[in-house]
Amino acid sequence: MEIMLARQPIFNRDMELFAYELLYRNYRSGGSTDKAMVSDGNQATSSVIIDVLTNLGLETVTAGKPAFINFTEDMILGDYATLFPTQSVVIEVLEDVVPSNELVQRCAELRQAGYILALDDFVFTGRHMALIQQANIIKMDFMNTDDVQLERIVKLFAPRGVKFLAEKVETQEEFQKALKWGYSYFQGYFFSKPTLLSSPELAPTRLNLIRLMSETNKGDFEYADMSRVVMQDMGLTVKFLRLLNYVIPHSQKGDIATIRQGMVLMGINSFRKWLYLMAMKDFAQDLPDELTSRALICARFCELIAPSFGFNSEECFMVGLFFLGETITRMPMEDFLKDIAVSSQVKNALLYDEGPLVAVLHLCNYYMNGDWDMMEPLLERHKLTPERVTNTYLRAMQWGDALLEEINQATRL
């Protein structure tokens, strides 16, 4: 895969380089430097973060200057900005973000932690006041905003300590107006078009990403087991070691002698976030949302219904999660399961449609497909009512929707 990322410089009033805005570019479309077709903001942000932190390298991309990066509501609430050191990133809150109490509180926490927040493509309404109080910078679109508003907004909020960035500045006249009105930072084609950064990517295997995500969600995960998976995959090893440069305090870097030590110092929460971003970038490019949703709901349904069959809930979860393994990895189920530590009962159900666990998988599939005639004998055999199955499926759907919202299709399983 080819890494494609665009950057556009941002200048201060003395025309000194202040920062770069990092822009997502499509991998398949040829990566136009001027624009990108973004159908999923979360996936676009995850691609930028992974390319900067673990592929190209932050120092290579920004030369020590802060990086302005767009963050959706999901990505802010998911705490993905904290993968960056505070001084290296400006969190751009997108214009379509709804300023909920939860979001405003998280922005306040990020600012208190030392992060800089910018409101992107800002249009003032009363409901944005809570976000404005947390913002360090407000970006104003000089192409699509009238002069009266561009001047008025600075007079209104600059006394509160907010700085303003004039974006999409395309002429000398616009630049002079922005200077006169008190803007602090400037960005646009008048100064520089976005330039494309590209490089071949040493991609990890999709199977190893799935294995690691499965491990991190276990209550009894082992760092030693996860480190072995990383070390067996050159792409994962290189990306992980690059990431450590940014998430481990400088004073501790000399203590890292093994992948396992790096994981322990990084912490399971940060490691899990990184995996989700990796998976989001990898899977989201070619798997439809319906496929992702189906596997997650099936996994949770099988887990919840397992006690009614007298089965192990974790085994049933795995059966539901991996029943689309061939589609996800584009490899035979036998090869997919070969290196995943699951029980023989799970393998028999997935490989041969045999053994006791197939009952929960069949029940899930029958319900999803509306195959009531096939489902009825199963219900009678295990003394289950249609109401119980429906309620269980609704709970599974709610869980799946909540998970997709939290990590924005990051698992794509």
Side-chain angles (χ1 to χ4, degrees):
M1 182 186 294
E2 184 82 3
I3 299 165
M4 288 187 181
L5 181 73
R7 71 177 187 182
Q8 187 173 31
I10 297 171
F11 299 93
N12 63 18
R13 291 180 65 87
D14 296 323
M15 288 304 294
E16 298 170 335
L17 180 63
F18 167 67
Y20 287 103
E21 178 164 15
L22 304 184
L23 306 164
Y24 169 75
R25 290 298 179 255
N26 302 77
Y27 293 85
R28 292 181 177 177
S29 67
S32 166
T33 60
D34 294 330
K35 59 184 178 179
M37 298 297 294
V38 179
S39 59
D40 186 329
N42 292 330
Q43 191 264 331
T45 297
S46 70
S47 292
V48 170
I49 293 174
I50 288 300
D51 285 344
V52 171
L53 290 183
T54 66
N55 292 331
L56 294 168
L58 185 60
E59 183 64 29
T60 299
V61 173
T62 67
K65 300 296 182 181
F68 279 64
I69 297 177
N70 291 331
F71 279 81
T72 62
E73 181 178 7
D74 289 341
M75 301 298 283
I76 293 172
L77 295 179
D79 222 15
Y80 292 104
T82 57
L83 289 172
F84 289 88
T86 54
Q87 72 279 5
S88 67
V89 67
V90 176
I91 301 167
E92 287 197 59
V93 183
L94 291 172
E95 65 276 9
D96 59 356
V97 165
V98 178
S100 64
N101 292 337
E102 184 182 10
L103 179 77
V104 172
Q105 177 62 31
R106 187 64 198 123
C107 286
E109 292 167 354
L110 287 167
R111 178 163 178 167
Q112 187 174 7
Y115 288 94
I116 297 175
L117 278 78
L119 302 185
D120 189 31
D121 289 340
F122 180 75
V123 177
F124 175 71
T125 64
R127 68 173 187 165
H128 286 97
M129 280 302 303
L131 270 182
I132 293 171
Q133 291 173 354
Q134 305 306 326
N136 304 93
I137 299 171
I138 292 177
K139 299 182 70 175
M140 297 299 297
D141 185 340
F142 266 56
M143 182 178 293
N144 298 308
T145 311
D146 64 70
D147 285 3
V148 174
Q149 179 72 0
L150 289 171
E151 182 179 10
R152 176 178 172 272
I153 203 75
V154 178
K155 291 180 179 179
L156 191 60
F157 293 109
R160 302 171 182 238
V162 180
K163 294 184 181 296
F164 284 82
L165 188 157
E167 65 175 338
K168 298 181 183 175
V169 176
E170 297 198 347
T171 67
Q172 175 72 28
E173 181 184 5
E174 290 174 341
F175 176 46
Q176 291 301 321
K177 285 181 180 179
L179 282 172
K180 176 184 175 182
W181 294 333
Y183 283 75
S184 299
Y185 308 113
F186 312 88
Q187 174 185 5
Y189 283 9
F190 175 69
F191 309 100
S192 174
K193 289 186 177 183
T195 56
L196 187 68
L197 306 175
S198 63
S199 173
E201 178 180 6
L202 184 60
T205 64
R206 182 170 290 180
L207 179 58
N208 283 334
L209 284 174
I210 293 172
R211 291 169 63 192
L212 283 170
M213 285 189 293
S214 176
E215 286 294 322
T216 60
N217 283 306
K218 291 181 179 178
D220 58 348
F221 68 86
E222 293 287 346
Y223 281 113
D225 294 338
M226 293 190 295
S227 66
R228 279 193 290 270
V229 176
V230 173
M231 287 187 293
Q232 292 166 5
D233 190 313
M234 185 177 294
L236 276 173
T237 299
V238 170
K239 293 173 187 297
F240 179 72
L241 292 176
R242 283 176 178 162
L243 182 68
L244 290 181
N245 285 324
Y246 310 110
V247 298
I248 301 298
H250 183 75
S251 60
Q252 294 180 317
K253 289 180 182 178
D255 299 331
I256 300 174
T258 65
I259 296 291
R260 183 184 180 280
Q261 285 178 315
M263 285 183 179
V264 172
L265 288 173
M266 183 179 183
I268 190 61
N269 288 332
S270 291
F271 184 70
R272 188 182 291 118
K273 288 174 192 172
W274 175 64
L275 285 176
Y276 287 163
L277 290 174
M278 293 280 288
M280 194 185 305
K281 177 184 175 182
D282 181 42
F283 298 155
Q285 294 181 69
D286 52 12
L287 289 184
D289 291 350
E290 181 59 30
L291 190 65
T292 303
S293 177
R294 187 178 178 88
L296 287 173
I297 292 171
C298 187
R300 182 62 170 162
F301 176 88
C302 291
E303 179 185 35
L304 291 173
I305 207 72
S308 298
F309 289 78
F311 296 155
N312 179 280
S313 294
E314 184 175 332
E315 285 186 322
C316 289
F317 182 89
M318 291 299 178
V319 166
L321 186 65
F322 293 145
F323 86 108
L324 289 174
E326 288 186 332
T327 305
I328 292 171
T329 62
R330 298 190 183 90
M331 63 174 67
M333 183 67 78
E334 186 174 2
D335 293 338
F336 169 67
L337 292 175
K338 182 172 57 178
D339 296 320
I340 297 180
V342 294
S343 69
S344 59
Q345 289 198 118
V346 172
K347 288 187 176 180
N348 286 338
L350 293 170
L351 284 173
Y352 311 115
D353 199 33
E354 294 178 353
L357 299 186
V358 296
V360 294
L361 187 57
H362 286 172
L363 179 60
C364 182
N365 280 322
Y366 294 155
Y367 190 91
M368 281 183 162
N369 297 328
D371 198 342
W372 315 122
D373 291 339
M374 296 294 291
M375 188 171 65
E376 188 173 349
L378 264 178
L379 299 184
E380 293 178 358
R381 191 177 313 134
H382 296 279
K383 297 181 172 58
L384 288 168
T385 65
E387 291 77 15
R388 169 71 187 279
V389 175
T390 297
N391 289 335
T392 302
Y393 187 78
L394 289 175
R395 288 175 60 193
M397 284 183 62
Q398 291 168 352
W399 177 86
D401 290 344
L403 181 60
L404 288 175
E405 181 178 357
E406 179 184 352
I407 64 175
N408 187 41
Q409 304 163 10
T411 50
R412 289 283 186 180
L413 296 179

